[in-house]
Amino acid sequence: AMTPDAPESVFCSEWAPTYGNPYLEAPAAPADTDVARIGEDDGALRTHSVLAAPDATLVFVDGVRRMEAYLTAERSGTAVRGGSGAHGVGAVVCVPKRVPAFERCASHRYLVWEGGRDLGLPPHPTGFAWEVDSIAPGADTPAEARLQDLMRDAERALAEDLTADDRLVVLDGPLNRVRTQGRHVVGYVKTHHRIPLDADGRAVVATLIAGRLGGGVEAKLF
């Protein structure tokens, strides 16, 4: 049933992967090298021998998002843009001497509307249902970016919930969304849009392989 403030029409346009990979974030603006300076070893990038890690449980938290369709809500000649999409978030728990296991895997579907709209849609006969999320009028955040934010928030909440004294949580992405200090959480950035190292620094990174240290080359940031 149409509510009094419902738009007259909702148009759906299929998400076209050729217009961009829905799994990737748009590159951010280049970071200032001042925020990425090396603090140890007088600013030089060096490898060091380390002690063997204790028998702690490692927990890897990650997520994936997918845009499913673009939506347009039109009423009295005024159109508002939106989108439908989904994200999945979960963890892999690696207990020493045990087979890694999935934990707390969940998915959510959203209708994200720009311009402050909060229009919902009835559940699909197959069981699909959408949570409504509204972006404030005048905000520059597009629906795709908001879906990415919702996924990152879900990853952060799961990472915080899975921390413990005998666990180290490895979270995909930066730690700027982790709200509580002192948690055993490490941020892991897989995709680099800019590497603030010179050729010698990149050579140090290239020598780091699983279970072994590099060749002792050192380099400074630009």
Side-chain angles (χ1 to χ4, degrees), residues 27-203:
D32 188 336
T33 55
D34 287 341
V35 303
R37 293 189 182 279
I38 297 175
E40 298 82 9
D41 296 326
D42 298 323
L45 183 62
R46 297 191 181 100
T47 60
H48 295 270
S49 297
V50 295
L51 298 175
D55 290 334
T57 296
L58 293 178
V59 180
F60 295 89
V61 174
D62 203 352
V64 64
R65 70 174 177 90
R66 181 180 67 189
M67 288 295 296
E68 296 174 331
Y70 289 121
L71 302 174
T72 302
E74 183 178 355
R75 179 179 60 194
S76 302
T78 301
V80 176
R81 183 177 180 272
S84 67
H87 72 61
V89 173
V92 174
V93 179
C94 303
V95 179
K97 301 178 181 179
R98 295 185 187 177
V99 177
F102 291 106
E103 185 171 322
R104 302 281 294 278
C105 297
S107 61
H108 296 273
R109 277 190 159 79
Y110 288 95
L111 294 176
V112 180
W113 292 104
E114 300 173 9
R117 287 297 296 149
D118 59 354
L119 173 66
L121 294 178
H124 193 272
T126 59
F128 286 359
W130 295 268
E131 300 177 42
V132 177
D133 187 87
S134 182
I135 301 171
D140 294 330
T141 304
E144 303 94 310
R146 176 58 183 160
L147 183 62
Q148 180 74 22
D149 287 339
L150 289 168
M151 183 193 73
R152 290 299 188 204
D153 287 340
E155 289 176 335
R156 182 266 309 161
L158 180 59
E160 291 181 349
D161 197 37
L162 291 177
T163 56
D165 290 341
D166 61 344
R167 283 183 166 191
L168 176 63
V169 177
V170 181
L171 174 62
D172 176 38
L175 295 179
N176 55 356
R177 294 177 185 270
V178 177
R179 298 174 297 183
T180 304
Q181 297 296 320
R183 302 257 186 186
H184 294 178
V185 181
V186 175
Y188 178 59
V189 180
K190 300 193 298 286
T191 303
H192 297 263
H193 299 293
R194 183 174 182 275
I195 303 176
L197 292 171
D198 58 13
D200 289 337
R202 292 191 291 273

